Amino acid sequence: MAWFFYLVCSIGMGFWLLSWPVRKRKAGHLLLNAGRTWHNKMLFWIGIAEIAVAAVITWVSVVTLTDLPNISSAIAPAFTKISFWWMVALFIVSVGLNKLELRENGLCFLYTAIPWRRMTSYTWETSYPDILTIRVQPRLLLLPRLMRIRIPAAHRHEIDRIVQTYIARSGIGSRTL
């Protein structure tokens, strides 16, 4: 039954990646491309490590399959497991290569387009001035209400200018959110 989990997750991640151009287009015209953030760079390297994990799982699965007397019944579960791990690697690398973009209808970050109307306030962290904290109205109750993004220093003032036209600025420090 684990193969069903692998299949559903692989389809979900594939759909999320393939639907990105449509979701990004809905976010409107590009106002600022801030490039890859610290989060993106870390996810990229995690994705590279995940490629190694997927390769090892592929190797182990193929070796295991060749040792089975009835290989035909094990091919589909092994294939879904291998596909899942390669899809996880592709997903993480893709998110790592994604860029922070401010668009006319919202913010695009980590393959997610967040409309300005869902952002209620923002502030710059007092102890870490390169961290932008945004309070978001989550779509689901269990999702986080705060987003913290480490902003490249070269784009801080431009991002602040754009963000303040769409979101109310909160008081000093993230404690006031």
Side-chain angles (χ1 to χ4, degrees):
M1 198 56 163
W3 65 269
F4 184 73
F5 169 79
Y6 290 137
L7 180 66
V8 170
C9 288
S10 295
I11 291 170
M13 285 184 279
F15 177 75
W16 189 257
L17 289 174
L18 292 174
S19 69
W20 177 239
V22 173
R23 292 181 287 123
K24 187 174 176 180
R25 197 170 22 256
K26 284 183 180 180
H29 296 292
L30 180 67
L31 301 175
L32 176 69
N33 179 350
R36 292 175 58 220
T37 67
W38 177 86
H39 299 91
N40 297 107
K41 292 172 185 174
M42 292 307 298
L43 284 168
F44 174 77
W45 289 110
I46 292 169
I48 296 298
E50 185 60 37
I51 288 172
V53 169
V56 168
I57 289 172
T58 301
W59 175 255
V60 169
S61 297
V62 169
V63 168
T64 304
L65 280 174
T66 58
D67 291 341
L68 293 175
N70 186 7
I71 192 171
S72 61
S73 65
I75 287 179
F79 178 74
T80 56
K81 180 180 180 180
I82 291 168
S83 299
F84 168 79
W85 287 106
W86 281 104
M87 184 57 77
V88 168
L90 175 67
F91 184 83
I92 296 172
V93 167
S94 297
V95 170
L97 291 173
N98 193 250
K99 296 175 180 164
L100 171 63
E101 295 179 351
L102 282 76
R103 295 185 162 265
E104 67 181 342
N105 298 328
L107 181 117
C108 292
F109 183 57
L110 301 176
Y111 269 75
T112 304
I114 304 161
W116 294 118
R117 68 181 179 278
R118 284 191 36 229
M119 298 179 224
T120 57
S121 65
Y122 82 99
T123 189
W124 294 94
E125 296 286 335
T126 53
S127 37
Y128 300 99
D130 60 337
I131 303 285
L132 174 65
T133 301
I134 301 173
R135 181 178 288 278
V136 180
Q137 296 172 337
R139 291 184 186 190
L140 301 172
L141 285 174
L142 298 176
L143 293 178
R145 297 185 187 281
L146 292 179
M147 241 176 69
R148 288 185 173 90
I149 306 170
R150 185 176 291 177
I151 301 296
H155 297 290
R156 181 191 156 124
H157 294 293
E158 186 65 17
I159 287 174
D160 189 58
R161 184 188 66 74
I162 293 170
V163 168
Q164 69 181 261
T165 63
Y166 294 100
I167 308 171
R169 186 169 185 146
S170 61
I172 297 173
S174 62
R175 293 179 300 270
T176 60
L177 287 175

